[in-house]
Amino acid sequence: MQIIEVSDLGVRSAVLRLTRRDTPLTFEIYPMVHIGEPAFYAAVTERLRRCDLVVAEGVGGTRMPDGSRRRTRGTVAASALTSSYRLPARFARAGLVLQNIPLATLGVPVSYPDMTDEQFSAGWREVPPWQRMLVTAGAPVAGLYQLAFGSRRALARELETTDEHWHDELMNIDSMDELMALLGEKRDRLLIAELDDIHRRRGHEPVTVAVVYGAAHVAPVVYGMRALHGYGLRGAGWLTVFDL
């Protein structure tokens, strides 16, 4: 399954529809990249407004007693790690911009199952100090390099994403415990647990739930929801991220 496709013409992102025969709920998955043309983010925004619920990526914030998320500015470490793509996007390098979907003004409920500031900081402290220093120092340097010398074609080479790694690992999973044991990425576990909960609460409703997450998280979602609840890929479309 191609999630982000790169060709001589440009970069495209798949729009994946997951359904199952005996429930009316539909999951519509939008694999995201951090930098793209403004038209790409505008097209995604337009589609999200037609959905009934959005499940969105977003590390940071504080979880409130009612389960909602109060957004914050995030941690210093998270800010440093994202500088590799924020710096070139800030100056519209190669005509591209940082992901800018206005989730707060969609007019649609938005759920953020991603890591809170506290969870991110706890995980970050588990990383060996030398690795933290290397990554924290290296990300801004990579951002400055992209700002000075980067091109659309160079960026495109880093974006292609498929399900190759996940296909064999997740095909035969039949329980949440087994699935969670295989998922090494905590953010994948949080996302799938949220979608599992939505299925259990709203599977009987004819609603469309949009999942707006980085492309690397898409394959675990597709195979995880297939293994747990029998959701299958029933349709796909494409949106252009940027032309070359």
Side-chain angles (χ1 to χ4, degrees):
M1 175 179 64
Q2 201 78 23
I3 297 169
I4 300 292
E5 180 185 73
V6 179
S7 71
D8 291 337
L9 298 177
V11 178
R12 300 194 304 171
S13 175
V15 179
L16 306 173
R17 291 179 63 84
L18 298 182
T19 64
R20 75 176 207 169
R21 190 168 300 173
D22 55 349
T23 55
L25 185 150
T26 297
F27 290 104
E28 200 162 82
I29 302 177
Y30 293 87
M32 299 305 295
V33 296
H34 295 302
I35 302 177
E37 290 180 342
F40 169 63
Y41 300 117
V44 174
T45 299
E46 171 92 13
R47 292 175 178 232
L48 295 182
R49 293 189 194 280
R50 301 196 293 264
C51 295
D52 300 286
L53 172 66
V54 174
V55 179
E57 179 177 33
V59 173
T62 301
R63 197 174 301 281
M64 306 303 288
D66 63 357
S68 64
R69 180 76 67 89
R70 179 170 61 83
R71 307 302 294 168
T72 65
R73 297 183 63 182
T75 66
V76 174
S79 179
L81 291 172
T82 58
S83 61
S84 62
Y85 57 82
R86 285 190 298 103
L87 283 172
R90 180 179 178 183
F91 294 95
R93 177 66 185 173
L96 305 178
V97 299
L98 192 66
Q99 179 178 327
N100 58 0
I101 297 172
L103 294 170
T105 61
L106 289 175
V108 177
V110 181
S111 169
Y112 296 95
D114 216 331
M115 298 175 72
T116 63
D117 287 334
E118 183 179 358
Q119 290 171 321
F120 177 84
S121 296
W124 183 242
R125 287 193 295 270
E126 294 176 2
V127 177
W130 70 269
Q131 290 185 6
R132 291 197 304 241
M133 292 178 60
L134 183 64
V135 172
T136 304
V141 171
L144 290 172
Y145 179 86
Q146 286 286 347
L147 178 61
F149 305 108
S151 66
R152 290 190 176 203
R153 195 167 297 276
L155 178 61
R157 287 195 293 268
E158 304 173 4
L159 293 179
E160 191 157 32
T161 309
T162 72
D163 66 340
E164 182 178 358
H165 172 68
W166 292 103
H167 186 273
D168 294 333
E169 288 196 52
L170 297 182
M171 279 298 289
N172 299 311
I173 302 301
D174 57 10
S175 74
M176 175 64 85
D177 289 342
E178 191 176 359
L179 175 64
M180 292 304 177
L182 267 180
L183 292 173
E185 169 61 66
K186 184 171 185 178
R187 297 174 66 202
D188 289 337
R189 298 199 298 269
L190 291 169
L191 173 56
I192 292 177
E194 176 77 1
L195 301 187
D196 173 67
D197 180 64
I198 291 170
H199 163 79
R200 295 179 188 279
R201 289 187 295 104
R202 306 193 63 178
H204 63 286
E205 300 179 41
V207 296
T208 298
V209 178
V211 181
V212 188
Y213 256 72
H217 301 280
V218 168
V221 166
V222 171
Y223 286 104
M225 294 304 288
R226 174 189 292 177
L228 293 175
H229 300 298
Y231 280 89
L233 186 59
R234 306 296 183 218
W238 294 95
L239 293 173
T240 299
V241 179
F242 58 81
D243 296 318
L244 295 181

